[in-house]
Amino acid sequence: MNLFGTAGIRGDVTERVTPELALAVGRAVATEIRAPERIVDGEDAGSRTTPAPEVVLARDGRVSGGALAAAMEAGLTAGGVEVRRAGRLPTPALAYASRGRYGVMLTASHNPPTDNGIKCFRDGREFSDELEAAIESRVEEGVSPASWDEWTEAHRIDPLADYRAAVREYATGFGANLDGLRIAVDCGNGMSAPATPTVLRELGAAVVTLNGNVDGYFPGRGSKPTPETLQDLRSFVSDANAGIDEPGRAGRDDDGFAFGIGHDGDADRIVIVDAAGEVVHEDTVLAILAEAYVRRSEAAEPVVVTTPNASGRIDERVRAAGGRVERVRLGALHEGIARVEQGSEDGGEGGRTVAFAAEPWKHIHVPFGGWIDGVCSAAVIARLVADEGLDALREPVTERPYRKLSVTCSDERKRPAMDALATSLPEAFPEASVDTDHGVRLEFPDAAWALVRPSGTEAYIRIYAESDAVDTLVEDVRAVVEDAIADE
Amino acid sequence: MNLFGTAGIRGDVTERVTPELALAVGRAVATEIRAPERIVDGEDAGSRTTPAPEVVLARDGRVSGGALAAAMEAGLTAGGVEVRRAGRLPTPALAYASRGRYGVMLTASHNPPTDNGIKCFRDGREFSDELEAAIESRVEEGVSPASWDEWTEAHRIDPLADYRAAVREYATGFGANLDGLRIAVDCGNGMSAPATPTVLRELGAAVVTLNGNVDGYFPGRGSKPTPETLQDLRSFVSDANAGIDEPGRAGRDDDGFAFGIGHDGDADRIVIVDAAGEVVHEDTVLAILAEAYVRRSEAAEPVVVTTPNASGRIDERVRAAGGRVERVRLGALHEGIARVEQGSEDGGEGGRTVAFAAEPWKHIHVPFGGWIDGVCSAAVIARLVADEGLDALREPVTERPYRKLSVTCSDERKRPAMDALATSLPEAFPEASVDTDHGVRLEFPDAAWALVRPSGTEAYIRIYAESDAVDTLVEDVRAVVEDAIADE
Amino acid sequence: MNLFGTAGIRGDVTERVTPELALAVGRAVATEIRAPERIVDGEDAGSRTTPAPEVVLARDGRVSGGALAAAMEAGLTAGGVEVRRAGRLPTPALAYASRGRYGVMLTASHNPPTDNGIKCFRDGREFSDELEAAIESRVEEGVSPASWDEWTEAHRIDPLADYRAAVREYATGFGANLDGLRIAVDCGNGMSAPATPTVLRELGAAVVTLNGNVDGYFPGRGSKPTPETLQDLRSFVSDANAGIDEPGRAGRDDDGFAFGIGHDGDADRIVIVDAAGEVVHEDTVLAILAEAYVRRSEAAEPVVVTTPNASGRIDERVRAAGGRVERVRLGALHEGIARVEQGSEDGGEGGRTVAFAAEPWKHIHVPFGGWIDGVCSAAVIARLVADEGLDALREPVTERPYRKLSVTCSDERKRPAMDALATSLPEAFPEASVDTDHGVRLEFPDAAWALVRPSGTEAYIRIYAESDAVDTLVEDVRAVVEDAIADE
Amino acid sequence: MNLFGTAGIRGDVTERVTPELALAVGRAVATEIRAPERIVDGEDAGSRTTPAPEVVLARDGRVSGGALAAAMEAGLTAGGVEVRRAGRLPTPALAYASRGRYGVMLTASHNPPTDNGIKCFRDGREFSDELEAAIESRVEEGVSPASWDEWTEAHRIDPLADYRAAVREYATGFGANLDGLRIAVDCGNGMSAPATPTVLRELGAAVVTLNGNVDGYFPGRGSKPTPETLQDLRSFVSDANAGIDEPGRAGRDDDGFAFGIGHDGDADRIVIVDAAGEVVHEDTVLAILAEAYVRRSEAAEPVVVTTPNASGRIDERVRAAGGRVERVRLGALHEGIARVEQGSEDGGEGGRTVAFAAEPWKHIHVPFGGWIDGVCSAAVIARLVADEGLDALREPVTERPYRKLSVTCSDERKRPAMDALATSLPEAFPEASVDTDHGVRLEFPDAAWALVRPSGTEAYIRIYAESDAVDTLVEDVRAVVEDAIADE
């Protein structure tokens, strides 16, 4: 079994993420977090006088959420942990509520309504790989049931208002008062609906929502926010701004919108639409936030953690602001944060702090907390826009042409080819600095970059590149890659 | 004191509709409905073995709703009636839940967020004037408290899903399956959000919402749906339909919308926007529904009850369908329904049944229940549109030019002038049939009409007229009115 | 698998009645009651417009109740039926709430706290054998999951107050006002606690409770009410009455108690303790109620349904009151009721109505509803005692000496021996009338009786007898039984 | 108006503590605690970004509790503070939940069911006199309403389980494991029912309850625990122990009880009944706890705070354990605690810590928290009894004869007489040490004592005395008092 993917457990509710699975995972989680080795300070979770670990349980707005939450509750309470039932929440609100305890979120993020999923949190962060592996083993092997007198009763809690207040207060550390700024938010019938529009309104914006009614069928648009699914939002914003001279600046004085926001089903992702109705590239959004965070940091060398597929424009802006970028493999931002912080504690390099961590569309606002938070991104970006305007924020970010290309390579050849490329690529591009942690990533002095890595699921080696001369760069890289594959 | 207006109790929450008032009204309602003369079949509400009357309590999404609902609950429970707390609901859902018992709705409908209000229901209908007067007296005089052992505990209920299912099932009696029909719904951040879009989706529509997040600040637009406040919806629909050949028909096959719907804060009102983004005149919507109901009626002479300010086009369509219109004063649809039904029972005129009753924007779907229901209107209209298309539905309804004019008249002169006009207007317009029940209403053979009535609050007599030659008609009527005012 | 026993599904929560089982049973119940053949009037449960069947879900106060209820909820909602979550209830209150719909009760009645169980109701009655068998098959075979868009969300309801009011009102049809009658109630930390004491107080009694705090550990006494576990109650009542001349009559004027009541964990059972602290024999309680019901019946020949192990004193009192007793096998009272009612409908015997049905300790108050109801028994008996006094109620009931005896008999011999006894016992006791429906039951002219039946679980044939000369009778019967066993 | 008495606001729910009063007090409390001067650290409660103060709202089991809680919620939420609705709680559990925020408890403690009351807490302590006076002024003057956009929505919380766990854990710092110790608890149908029996059971006791069903009519006994109202409990315990040789020690091995516990309606008070069914004198219970606390204290001179009416036996035991007693006027334990702690901080006397504070029946377990807590007393006493036995705990406490006497004195003479007595009593009893803070209290070397103080409500000066020669002492004091009254 391979239960946890890069985004937790996810799949069809009649075949994979069934109530039976939720019950089993609940039992496994309860058993694991009550295990003596998980208990800090030598406490003994088995004794009656030690309170059982506490787990906040929430779900997104999917039709299957009620049944799966009940099954999860059954597994957790029969496993002897205290359960706090939080009902429907955005994923970042659940993560927030999991601080100082545990959290389980039932969500399939932007998947279709037929799916659902399970994400586990400990103290505001998703379970580590090691903890996920332990859960997986327990699900496979089955857990011995907790004694009847260790079973618990779940109680209801309502953490959403506290979360909204926390985001609101946090965001005031950035930019300027919204002061009537008009923003269009497309909630996609997902769980951002009771969060982002309210937070922005409380911060002073004039918000109009699309698909702000929570509906597990996602009737308004596909749950994943893409240029296509956001077509209604894009037209809505651009049409409203038609005939307005300076819509970016505007947004306050007229019927136009300063910008638009699109979320996925559980509000961890965010997409920004500009006043012309165009989607702002996810790497540009990332670069804007990264720069803002590094400029505000008081650390000697603030670090931004991101992933290999993220553009060199991020590095440009971070360096310009006096910081440094570190890359970790996709889905492993937490590890990157931990590694940097650990390094700092070890004293080797003083003053290194993670200022911000992000994959494209997914932002961890580290000073706020260790989870991906699209609601917080909405609030922070809105404050930045209110201060400078979206155009001004984008202006220093250079967007270069981008290409992606797949070179056929049998699974057996992937390893030797990548080994060879670790040497041959640097040799072929001596001007580039090289990172071989996750594939081979070349970074050029002019912020152009290329990434070569094997596909995890298909018989390809993939090449990603961004450069003012992207075609030349891709062809040059392809030649080296094909050599490495052929070279036996 | 003049507590109840035409729309129940309504006003600013810090000055008029305060928690103190809600508490007092709650006590008064409880005392009144427990009074021996209110109890049917000689039951004695005072005895312990007779169950206390049951009141369903709900509120719309206003910021003040929580505090006022708590105060109302305190008044009702300390008054000795059973309270079922239903939380946030659209007004028609509360009315539905009040069938067979009582209901109290805290809503100021489309008023600004600073206001709130109280509406009382008995068995699905708003309190009669007589019952409102009794409550008012009790509030004025104060009520003696119920004995401590008659106080009750409120319980929570959740009637929304049942209401939605009932609307859904009822609407299938009209038109055709929605079958992917695209509809844009602007909920105005009000309580239609958890009702209309879901009902339409369950009936098969593809629904996109504007302002579908419930927010007591009404940030998206003014709570009252007018051509101005619905500007976003209108642009959204028309822009989506731009370049589509036949958007009315379309709405299924493309990205356009068949039509749009706008609701007020508590979903009793509905406004229809056509595929071009224009608001369909409220009297035309009323005429379409009235005709549909009369055609479906099996009564010998189905009656439609409406108000004097409603257009003659309604009469045209009702007559064409074989029915008859009766008019009652504004805010008194219930009385009209009761009068017709009573007359029918008295046997004088067999076969008279009220098929439908409505004021502009406010529709009572009599076979469904005795309350104003904008959600039900949305469902019924959508099914009619799915069957015939909005254009085809409007086609037979003739919209004539309309004018409204105020003639200065002191308060003392209003009565004698109106008395004189009851005679002089029919004399001046012998071709018109005349109704003097609520002002003087002239109805011409070509469906043109004019209404003359004194303003209730200002020093005017008002003239309303609709006619292909509306200017001539208004001037002719004005001459007669000025004569009547002057004639001492 | 043999899932359902005579008392539904019951067993240890870590081995047998686990959350996994509750989930599976929930799915099976949902699937079965949505099956087309279960739907009355040709409705099609699969269609969206037909509302799904509704199931009220409750649990007793056991520690495992929360987890099992959550698992059951998961199974039912993922199976596509509507769930109404009623929290902690006495079993009869759940049965009451299941009228007109379905009900699932999680309880192990009087079993130890390590156990739990599942009881299913349809319209106030436990599932028939046929329906239980259908559920069992589905659990064994597994059910195919309902489509994701058929899954439902549970809502909370609170039916306890309505149930108490209904019992209260029903009981006023019997006896006299309680008027300060003092009654001691031992709730055994079970679910009678929020029901019986309140109902009796509302009927006018002065109630003192023992173990009235609900606690799933049953700390106060064993959950099954026996003379031993009720020792505290018995001492409490007898000590309070010590020195009072006429404690039965008393109970109103002094510190004594008219009588005591003991319930099991879920309040279906009731035990009565007299003013001297002695347990009133369960058959005597049954006889008192049976006589009361027959006397109040307006049917030509009212029927009392009971089981073979119930004493002949019941027959005596029922006959004295002008009624007739019918016996059905243990756990099959519902079948007996149905059979009598069916016979009556078939017209063969007009005027036969079931006035009352009961096993020892378990009473179905047929005019109130078709479930075993210890709370209703408490209210009815209290009203009868208030009218006549417990001593006067017992006086006409003759309690004869009783014995029980087991004769060794291999499993293979049970059938032939019982077949032989069907002939040899009547021959040996020609003066007795004979019933061979459930074992062989002899009833003598002086109301003595004997019952011979094979044990279902052990290698015995059992003899039960009640007679003024019980030793002689038992020995006489034993001789015939031993002959039948030996006779090969 | 004199709103707050020594026990908060209390009175008849139809005349004094009405929903109207609860609403007004709620508004006043909200306004007061949001006032700028109440906000610590210069925070501005008026600003949107500062979270509003949070108030936990609970009630006891009284019939009027639901309506009053709703009215209080209305006042608080319309006043702009966050409300956490905690439902039914014992008063100490509400106090516990108010730590770090505010609390409002609706209870009339041991008053009859016709009454209710309001107690306000800040951070675990009852409001100070100064804060109560501020509330009172605001209720009298009326408060200007909070702006509509500051009104809040209450959320539900469930703090009982956390409270029970905290008591349980705290109590393990005393005595020994309960290990099957049998204890009878009479909850008096009050809010101790879901607390004390569960806590004791979790600590290992075998608990049998009387009147453990919560019922706002207090049907089982008067809500105030006195030797008379506890008659059932006393008989129950003594009868169970009849014939047992050593019932105190017993309680584990047999059917007897080690001791009994009686609570009032909201579980702040506790009464202890010994194995013979006799009520242990409240001053003796206080002395036992005081000694235990002083012995466990690590302070140089641990202080016990008590009131003038508390017996000298307390001083004896506290001194024997190495501590010191300080007395404050009735109802002012909090002030006493604060004064001692303040003195200690001022450095004058290092090492002075309040180890314990109590009035008769009401105990503040200072290391646990600053509120009166009968549940905590039950747990601590049970652990002490389990360790040493109740007899052994009582043995060192000397109970001397006690008398109380009233001497007629007009209201005008009270002041001059008391002034005179401040001198004449010390002169008359030179061997006594004298405290004139709250009346004149004489303490003799043999732990005899006398207290002279004017009645607050009647025309008397009262004398309280405890001494082996109490009659002589009272007569001697009376002579001096009469002289002082007469002496003009």
Side-chain angles (χ1 to χ4, degrees), chain B residues 194-235:
Chain B
T196 296
T198 310
V199 167
L200 295 177
R201 190 256 294 151
E202 289 173 336
L203 285 168
V207 178
V208 175
T209 64
L210 259 71
N211 302 308
N213 56 317
V214 177
D215 188 322
Y217 285 75
F218 304 127
R221 63 163 167 88
S223 173
K224 181 171 181 175
T226 67
E228 293 70 37
T229 61
L230 294 178
Q231 188 55 54
D232 279 341
L233 173 68
R234 295 169 56 203
S235 305

Side-chain angles (χ1 to χ4, degrees), chain A residues 222-276:
Chain A
S223 173
K224 181 171 181 175
T226 67
E228 293 70 37
T229 62
L230 293 178
Q231 189 55 55
D232 279 340
L233 173 68
R234 294 169 56 202
S235 304
F236 187 56
V237 169
S238 67
D239 291 335
N241 287 336
I244 296 179
D245 279 348
E246 203 186 342
R249 160 62 220 145
R252 272 198 188 100
D253 323 321
D254 50 43
D255 295 338
F257 292 101
F259 69 108
I261 292 171
H263 283 295
D264 62 344
D266 68 336
D268 56 359
R269 282 190 185 210
I270 186 168
V271 168
I272 301 296
V273 168
D274 68 17

Side-chain angles (χ1 to χ4, degrees), chain C residues 63 182 187 189 193-194 197-198 201 205-217 219-221 231-233 235-236 239-240 255 257, chain D residues 63 182 187 189 193-194 197-198 201 205-217 219-221 231-233 235-236 239-240 255 257:
Chain C
V63 172
R182 281 177 53 88
C187 302
N189 305 117
T198 309
R201 191 257 294 150
V207 179
V208 175
T209 64
L210 259 69
N211 301 309
N213 56 316
V214 177
D215 188 323
Y217 285 74
R221 63 164 167 88
Q231 188 55 56
D232 279 341
L233 172 68
S235 303
F236 187 54
D239 290 335
D255 295 340
F257 292 101
Chain D
V63 172
R182 281 177 54 87
C187 301
N189 304 117
T198 310
R201 189 257 294 153
V207 178
V208 175
T209 64
L210 259 69
N211 302 308
N213 56 316
V214 177
D215 188 323
Y217 285 74
R221 62 163 168 89
Q231 188 56 55
D232 280 341
L233 173 68
S235 304
F236 187 56
D239 290 334
D255 295 338
F257 292 101

